[in-house]
Amino acid sequence: MLTASPMTTALLIALILGTAGSAWLWLVHNRATVIALGLKALAAMRWRESSRFVIEALESQGFSASRLAPDADRGQNADLLLNRGEQTWLLSFKQGVDYRVEPGIVSQLAAAVRDSNASGGIVATLGTINPEVRKHPQGIELIDGATLWPLISPLLPPSLHEDILARSRRRTVRATGVAWILALLVGLLASQLIPEAVVDPARDSAAIPTEVLAPGDSESNTPAPAPAEVPAIAGTEDEQRRDIAASVARLPGIARASWATRSTLVALLDAGASDRQIDGICKVLSPYGDLRYSRVQLQPPPGSEPPVRFLQCTWN
């Protein structure tokens, strides 16, 4: 069968890892970078300008800014008043990207909603919201940065929006280059750890170009010794297989030996291995009872032209 060189293996592994990494970077990481850069841009604005974008984003839900301001004397613990039809809502906007909405903030706004007879309240932040707050929102709508950005993004000036997208693309391109370099390094390392394939056990031997090599030197045709002349080997069948593979691997002209199946022994030949050296495999098998009838696949060196052959030991 065809064998893969270490360089081919390295390139294949690098291709798989690099493609997977690139897909994740452009489909997931790039989007997350756009959101992070956009929220930082909003956080760098003055609070009044940033809050105006929040109010415009809420207009799609029927809200509009009230002309009135929150009245601290009436317990309106909020930043802004919103109108939705005839209803009054309280909005608390926390601008920092590192801000984390905790239960106390929600409790205060819920109390302000009750004290001012408002219809509801909204806590919006460019940061995050404590998961415990989401479990018990106390009737307050919660909007974090990741949810807020898609609502505000279409409202930004085109120049700012394009700048954010361009910066995100540059970062993703750099990250993609690093990912491919790492993928190639991993491929090179893996190619040194994964041994070259010698045999495909699932392939039917009839599909492989083969020739049967009878035991005995091609010039002298000396037959292999009869098993009766050598005492049987003790041990379990698995132990005997290990002994056979180790003994065959030590023979001159044999680079490596292993069992592809329970009845097929694969011997990787050195370049220029002679038939007399190959005959030594039968001598190793002869004392091993039923295992001496195993099929021996003679695998030529990787990259060589000779076909795969099968050695059929004959016994008197």
Side-chain angles (χ1 to χ4, degrees), residues 226-277:
E229 299 175 2
V230 183
I233 301 298
T236 66
E237 189 172 293
D238 288 338
E239 291 173 341
Q240 291 181 9
R241 283 195 177 86
R242 287 194 294 269
D243 292 342
I244 290 172
S247 299
V248 171
R250 290 193 293 267
L251 292 174
I254 308 299
R256 186 165 62 240
S258 61
W259 290 90
T261 66
R262 297 184 66 84
S263 60
T264 301
L265 175 67
V266 179
L268 178 62
L269 304 180
D270 288 329
S274 68
D275 289 344
R276 185 178 296 278
Q277 291 173 326

Side-chain angles (χ1 to χ4, degrees), residues 112-252:
V113 169
R114 292 192 298 270
D115 294 342
S116 61
N117 294 320
S119 298
I122 302 173
V123 174
T125 180
L126 300 181
T128 58
I129 297 174
N130 188 321
E132 291 299 320
V133 175
R134 293 190 181 278
K135 295 179 181 178
H136 308 286
Q138 304 179 58
I140 302 298
E141 293 189 20
L142 306 172
I143 306 176
D144 61 9
T147 304
L148 197 58
W149 171 251
L151 302 176
I152 294 179
S153 175
L155 306 175
L156 295 177
S159 59
L160 176 58
H161 195 269
E162 286 300 322
D163 178 67
I164 292 171
L165 294 178
R167 289 167 59 193
S168 178
R169 282 194 296 268
R170 288 195 295 269
R171 293 188 182 186
T172 305
V173 168
R174 288 196 297 268
T176 302
V178 173
W180 277 101
I181 292 174
L182 292 176
L184 183 57
L185 292 176
V186 172
L188 290 173
L189 177 60
S191 68
Q192 302 303 314
L193 300 177
I194 301 175
E196 290 183 294
V198 176
V199 67
D200 184 354
R203 179 178 294 181
D204 185 357
S205 60
I208 307 176
T210 63
E211 63 183 42
V212 176
L213 178 67
D217 183 78
S218 58
E219 298 178 358
S220 62
N221 291 323
T222 303
E229 299 175 2
V230 183
I233 301 298
T236 66
E237 189 172 293
D238 288 338
E239 291 173 341
Q240 291 181 9
R241 283 195 177 86
R242 287 194 294 269
D243 292 342
I244 290 172
S247 299
V248 171
R250 290 193 293 267
L251 292 174

Side-chain angles (χ1 to χ4, degrees), residues 258-301:
S258 61
W259 290 90
T261 66
R262 297 184 66 84
S263 60
T264 301
L265 175 67
V266 179
L268 178 62
L269 304 180
D270 288 329
S274 68
D275 289 344
R276 185 178 296 278
Q277 291 173 326
I278 294 171
D279 287 345
I281 299 176
C282 289
K283 296 179 181 179
V284 171
L285 289 172
S286 63
Y288 282 92
D290 291 339
L291 288 179
R292 67 177 179 268
Y293 298 107
S294 299
R295 182 172 60 173
V296 180
Q297 179 177 326
L298 302 177
Q299 186 78 25

